[in-house]
Amino acid sequence: MPRRSKFIIAANRLPAHRVGDGRASRWVRSPGGLVSAMAPVLAKHTGCWIGWDGAVGRASHANVLDGLTLAPVGLTRGQVDAFYSGFCNGTLWPLYHDAIVTPQFHRAWWEYYRDVNARFAAAILRRAARRAMVWIHDYHLQLVPALLRQTRPDLRIGFFLHIPFPPEELFAWLPWRAAILRGLLGADLVAFQTEASSQNFSRAARRWTNGEGTDREVKIDSHTAHVRPIPISIDAATMESLAREPEVIEMARLIREQLGNRRMILGVDRMDYTKGIHDRLMAFEELLSERRLSVDDTVYVQIAVPSREESLGYREVRREVEERVGRINGQFSEPGSVAVHYFRRSLSHRELAAYYLAADVMLVTPLRDGMNLVAKEYVACRHDLGGVLVLSEFAGAAWELRRALLVNPRDIEAMKAVIIQALRMPTRERRMRMSILRVQVKRHDVFEWADVFLEELGA
Ligand code: G6P
């Protein structure tokens, strides 16, 4: 029997991954604000994190890394295909992101979703001490709250959805909508990135279950689920201090020099059809072909982190993006002045900070996004008050970062105009906007987010 914990986090992914093979392999902590925010809470409560280690087959043994107990859940090949690539990323992900690609509904995938959620619930139950606090993350595990409540009403259960919760009309497509809503309503607290998602959820819950109440409280079977918007953030101080390191500042200078000291536009995204990378490239291409921009003095750098290549729509988005980059470079690049620099790989936080510091304009233009932490990271890094953030109206971050240049990413003319506006923005206005954005991001960091969540949960 594993040691019982007073505080448990469950997420599809563990905050660490294994590097190396066989006996020589070891755990390495993955970068990310969520891990940093949770680390002190987990340490204080001798907590544990339950999640998938990303491997196919048997789970590795539980392990302690930097004081953090990691309890891996193993997924078989069938579960990776039908649960992770299938139901999570082929049904829920597109449905929750405005059906940008058409979600697929397969009964077999749903069976796997139920099974894997039950396995996670069982793993939590094995480890949860009496009256433990359990914090469940994201769309992969929406059935877990109710599964826990059925057997262990003593637990305090919180759920946070990192992606948007869709409007009722879209959510209604889901053949298993009532089961998912009932799953979530098992939590004491169900929290979302925005007010809109929060309302979408409570309305759907009242419509398709026997739950009753308001936008903030849904009562079902003598239990009350509290519903709140609690927008996530980043570890802004750490990101900023990284961007203040002399080596990072030097790296940023070198990047600019290597790009010919041209004005630099930057995009940093997972390679995902929700991110609007292709539309962004189209806007840049049109600006070049209309000669409103020239490769002599402007360059666009796109960093695309490989993602979910086995899931619906991901190979297609990669092909589209790469074809577009090829087309733009074929037509507009000059010797020594490439129009678009495209990197398909992930970068360390240190390298990212250098790119953020180097960029005159940061384009964060997803078609739909729960929050988008890249926007907040960019702001945290710009201690020099340089740089302009262009932000999609459809990113959760737009609810907070009002002084960014907000744009509808499907409106290519508006995108073009905003890129020009950003490049030409007078220094005074740029500095003023960036200072206001920085106050917001520094004040509301990931530690505050975790505190608010735990306070609402009654920790
Ligand atoms: C989004 C989701 C996370 C997920 C991440 C990476 O941010 O909200 O839950 O972990 O994408 O995707 P992946 O499928 O590689 O875990």
Side-chain angles (χ1 to χ4, degrees):
M1 196 66 165
R3 196 165 145 216
R4 304 242 169 199
S5 299
K6 282 297 237 184
F7 187 86
I8 293 179
I9 293 203
N12 182 50
R13 285 205 187 262
L14 281 174
H17 51 278
R18 287 187 84 82
V19 291
D21 289 324
R23 295 186 63 184
S25 74
R26 61 194 170 88
W27 287 99
V28 174
R29 197 157 134 174
S30 312
L34 187 58
V35 198
S36 340
M38 292 298 105
V41 193
L42 286 165
K44 196 167 111 196
H45 297 87
T46 50
C48 111
W49 191 311
I50 295 175
W52 177 42
D53 58 8
V56 178
R58 274 186 51 175
S60 20
H61 294 294
N63 212 292
V64 179
L65 175 74
D66 305 339
L68 193 80
T69 302
L70 305 172
V73 172
L75 295 184
T76 62
R77 177 81 262 162
Q79 288 168 335
V80 174
D81 292 346
F83 160 76
Y84 172 71
S85 297
F87 199 78
C88 291
N89 293 323
T91 307
L92 294 173
W93 179 270
L95 182 71
Y96 283 27
H97 288 87
D98 294 353
I100 296 168
V101 310
T102 308
Q104 306 265 312
F105 302 103
H106 297 301
R107 283 164 285 180
W109 287 359
W110 164 247
E111 296 299 325
Y112 273 92
Y113 187 75
R114 282 203 338 211
D115 289 353
V116 173
N117 271 254
R119 290 200 52 200
F120 268 84
I124 296 169
L125 291 172
R126 271 198 301 278
R127 291 191 166 263
R130 224 187 118 59
R131 305 174 65 166
M133 184 124 43
V134 185
W135 186 348
I136 302 148
H137 290 266
D138 232 354
Y139 59 105
H140 316 84
L141 302 178
Q142 295 172 102
L143 304 180
V144 172
L147 290 172
L148 298 180
R149 178 162 302 283
Q150 273 162 22
T151 33
R152 290 283 300 277
D154 60 296
L155 300 176
R156 196 92 193 132
I157 307 166
F159 181 93
F160 183 76
L161 187 71
H162 291 251
I163 68 174
F165 193 91
E168 259 175 275
E169 297 75 14
L170 263 181
F171 187 74
W173 291 4
L174 195 61
W176 310 281
R177 61 197 182 196
I180 291 208
L181 292 165
R182 289 184 144 274
L184 291 168
L185 288 170
D188 295 290
L189 171 66
V190 194
F192 299 89
Q193 300 280 24
T194 63
E195 184 66 56
S197 284
S198 179
Q199 276 181 8
N200 289 343
F201 170 74
S202 19
R203 285 171 195 179
R206 279 175 283 153
R207 179 139 176 214
W208 287 299
T209 72
N210 56 336
E212 287 178 351
T214 64
D215 280 354
R216 287 279 183 267
E217 269 185 19
V218 181
K219 279 204 175 65
I220 183 165
D221 308 335
S222 74
H223 159 70
T224 301
H226 297 267
V227 184
R228 297 279 184 279
I230 309 179
I232 199 170
S233 193
I234 57 164
D235 179 353
T238 300
M239 200 71 210
E240 167 162 2
S241 57
L242 210 55
R244 285 187 187 275
E245 284 181 15
E247 305 89 86
V248 171
I249 296 175
E250 175 56 15
M251 215 191 303
R253 195 194 59 76
L254 264 174
I255 291 169
R256 287 188 70 94
E257 191 177 284
Q258 282 159 352
L259 295 171
N261 287 316
R262 292 177 287 166
R263 296 180 300 179
M264 175 181 163
I265 303 174
L266 178 65
V268 176
D269 311 83
R270 259 186 325 102
M271 179 66 95
D272 194 301
Y273 51 80
T274 58
K275 301 293 181 183
I277 306 172
H278 185 256
D279 305 74
R280 209 183 289 161
L281 283 164
M282 259 170 70
F284 184 63
E285 180 179 14
E286 288 190 19
L287 287 170
L288 290 174
S289 80
E290 290 162 14
R291 296 177 194 280
R292 290 162 74 189
L293 288 183
S294 147
V295 296
D296 294 339
D297 61 11
T298 311
V299 57
Y300 175 46
V301 177
Q302 176 65 51
I303 296 162
V305 179
S307 184
R308 305 180 193 163
E309 305 208 319
E310 301 306 314
S311 300
L312 178 82
Y314 286 81
R315 260 193 274 266
E316 291 78 357
V317 67
R318 176 178 169 194
R319 201 192 54 239
E320 267 174 26
V321 164
E322 292 184 350
E323 280 178 11
R324 183 67 63 169
V325 170
R327 221 175 91 159
I328 300 176
N329 281 339
Q331 192 169 350
F332 298 102
S333 293
E334 297 282 349
S337 298
V338 172
V340 180
H341 282 262
Y342 163 70
F343 306 127
R344 189 179 153 274
R345 63 180 104 110
S346 53
L347 300 184
S348 67
H349 260 74
R350 175 169 267 102
E351 288 170 299
L352 271 181
Y355 275 93
Y356 290 144
L357 264 185
D360 296 292
V361 175
M362 182 79 213
L363 294 183
V364 180
T365 58
L367 304 175
R368 176 62 70 193
D369 212 330
M371 172 53 62
N372 198 297
L373 296 178
V374 164
K376 292 188 173 180
E377 285 175 359
Y378 180 65
V379 169
C381 284
R382 296 315 298 249
H383 49 80
D384 59 346
L385 304 186
V388 178
L389 174 64
V390 173
L391 181 60
S392 164
E393 292 166 12
F394 307 122
W399 290 59
E400 297 167 86
L401 304 182
R402 308 303 300 172
R403 285 307 175 108
L405 295 182
L406 297 180
V407 68
N408 170 2
R410 288 184 172 80
D411 182 345
I412 300 295
E413 289 306 323
M415 288 267 278
K416 285 155 66 182
V418 88
I419 292 171
I420 298 291
Q421 183 189 352
L423 285 167
R424 291 200 185 138
M425 187 177 285
T427 311
R428 242 178 88 95
E429 181 181 350
R430 196 170 62 221
R431 294 175 68 85
M432 187 269 291
R433 284 180 184 268
M434 189 51 82
S435 339
I436 298 173
L437 291 172
R438 287 176 58 73
V439 170
Q440 168 72 32
V441 171
K442 289 168 78 161
R443 203 172 274 167
H444 304 289
D445 64 6
V446 73
F447 301 103
E448 189 209 55
W449 169 78
D451 284 349
V452 173
F453 186 95
L454 293 173
E455 205 177 296
E456 292 277 356
L457 186 57

